[in-house]
Amino acid sequence: MRNTAVLDNAVIGTYDDPLSGPGTIPIHGPAGFAGMRRAGNLAARVLDYLVPYVKPEVTTEHLHQLTYDYVKAHGAVSATIYYRGFGKSLCTSINHVVCHGIPSAKRLKDGDILNIDVTVVVDGWHGDTSRMYLVGDVPIRARRLVDVTFEAMHRGIAVAKPGNTLGDVGYAIQSFAEAQRMSVVRDFCGHGLGQVFHTAPSVVHIGKPGKGVTLQPGMFLTIEPMINLGRPDVKVLDDGWTAVTRDRSLSAQFEHSIGITETGCEIFTLSPGGFDAPPYAIG
Ligand code: MF3
Ligand code: CO
Ligand code: CO
């Protein structure tokens, strides 16, 4: 989501959260964890289902249609279709597109890297997850970006536990990505979620140890770093959605929805098929 917070993690963005009020971080109990498990699992199964369809010549509109039908058949709805007029059941962000790419008649081509980001609502709970897909033969630099982004997300998740702060999470991601001479996008961030798609806190993917909100059991949030091969700067195209790197360098992203537990965190959106990081060997 769009980052409106001050970048030292000191300020939580303001939210119009109908359930918990602006700026309040919701704390959930066992019923919330049960709801998020179901929503997260369906979102992850959508991404698993799409694996064999991501190949040269396929349109991103086709991936939207497949997802629309799959989600419907499972008695759920996509949160993005009705989100501020976005109109599609997933975001498809190719190469230098950072996030919020809109499915279209554009065809995938050999060598593309693609992020697919899906959010489903199951019995009122939101499961939000994204992964990178490799189209055909992908150059080594792009594959490295994808691998670094996957590890960056997991380094953030590894420190998402009670007593640690969001600054610790941002620091884990930023210090790793920058040591690989890559950059972390500042203009979009992770977010709280649950019965609301985007709520407090803002999860900025840079930070300083010990700064920012202290994590507590029962908080639900996404960790969804966007990492660029070049500079971190982003611009949004005239369609009002598609965010691209200003220097047109490649960008990658992975996203999980997690819940803070007594001892660490639970990942709600793990791949049931084992397709967590590409290449996704199938058949
Ligand atoms: N799923 C995205 C996120 O991680 C939000 C997409 S909103 C859309 O927060 F409208 F662009 F689809
Ligand atoms: Co998200
Ligand atoms: Co998402």
Side-chain angles (χ1 to χ4, degrees):
M1 65 174 299
R2 197 74 194 237
N3 179 17
T4 51
V6 172
L7 291 178
D8 66 2
N9 279 353
V11 176
I12 303 172
T14 51
Y15 293 88
D16 180 20
D17 184 333
L19 296 175
S20 50
T24 309
I25 302 176
I27 301 295
H28 300 275
F33 276 83
M36 288 299 286
R37 265 175 219 132
R38 295 176 56 224
N41 179 261
L42 181 62
R45 280 190 289 150
V46 170
L47 296 185
D48 284 6
Y49 168 70
L50 292 174
V51 166
Y53 296 101
V54 177
K55 52 189 182 195
E57 298 305 321
V58 170
T59 67
T60 49
E61 173 68 22
H62 185 59
L63 300 176
H64 150 73
Q65 196 60 51
L66 287 167
T67 300
Y68 182 86
D69 295 342
Y70 185 93
V71 170
K72 190 172 181 182
H74 288 77
V77 292
S78 158
T80 54
I81 292 191
Y82 307 103
Y83 185 74
R84 301 186 183 175
F86 185 76
K88 301 289 176 179
S89 50
L90 36 61
C91 300
T92 49
S93 302
I94 305 170
N95 295 337
H96 72 297
V97 179
V98 173
C99 62
H100 303 167
I102 306 171
S104 72
K106 189 178 163 81
R107 293 180 190 279
L108 297 176
K109 63 179 193 310
D110 191 59
D112 284 345
I113 59 171
L114 168 69
N115 175 277
I116 301 181
D117 188 345
V118 64
T119 307
V120 298
V121 191
V122 178
D123 294 337
W125 296 93
H126 291 72
D128 185 7
T129 185
S130 83
R131 295 179 207 151
M132 296 302 295
Y133 295 72
L134 309 178
V135 183
D137 259 333
V138 169
I140 183 82
R141 265 170 71 74
R143 292 205 313 264
R144 227 187 118 242
L145 170 67
V146 169
D147 292 346
V148 166
T149 306
F150 181 77
E151 177 156 356
M153 174 186 66
H154 276 291
R155 285 186 179 224
I157 291 172
V159 296
K161 56 172 109 175
N164 280 358
T165 69
L166 286 179
D168 294 325
V169 172
Y171 179 77
I173 292 166
Q174 182 181 15
S175 58
F176 174 68
E178 292 181 353
Q180 312 300 314
R181 309 179 65 83
M182 299 180 192
S183 66
V184 181
V185 170
R186 275 82 162 143
D187 292 357
F188 294 90
C189 53
H191 48 92
L193 82 173
Q195 287 164 298
V196 175
F197 190 177
H198 294 117
T199 184
S202 279
V203 180
V204 184
H205 301 104
I206 61 172
K208 296 192 174 71
K211 299 284 188 189
V213 169
T214 301
L215 297 171
Q216 287 174 44
M219 289 180 177
F220 294 166
L221 38 106
T222 71
I223 297 186
E224 49 177 304
M226 287 140 273
I227 309 290
N228 299 346
L229 273 185
R231 303 215 25 97
D233 310 80
V234 164
K235 69 174 177 194
V236 175
L237 300 184
D238 287 341
D239 61 23
W241 286 105
T242 312
V244 299
T245 54
R246 279 189 179 269
D247 62 7
R248 295 187 66 87
S249 66
L250 291 177
S251 185
Q253 181 179 26
F254 285 87
E255 174 176 24
H256 275 311
S257 298
I258 68 171
I260 306 298
T261 64
E262 296 296 328
T263 54
C265 70
E266 176 173 345
I267 303 175
F268 298 124
T269 44
L270 285 174
S271 165
F275 302 136
D276 286 292
Y280 308 119
I282 48 169

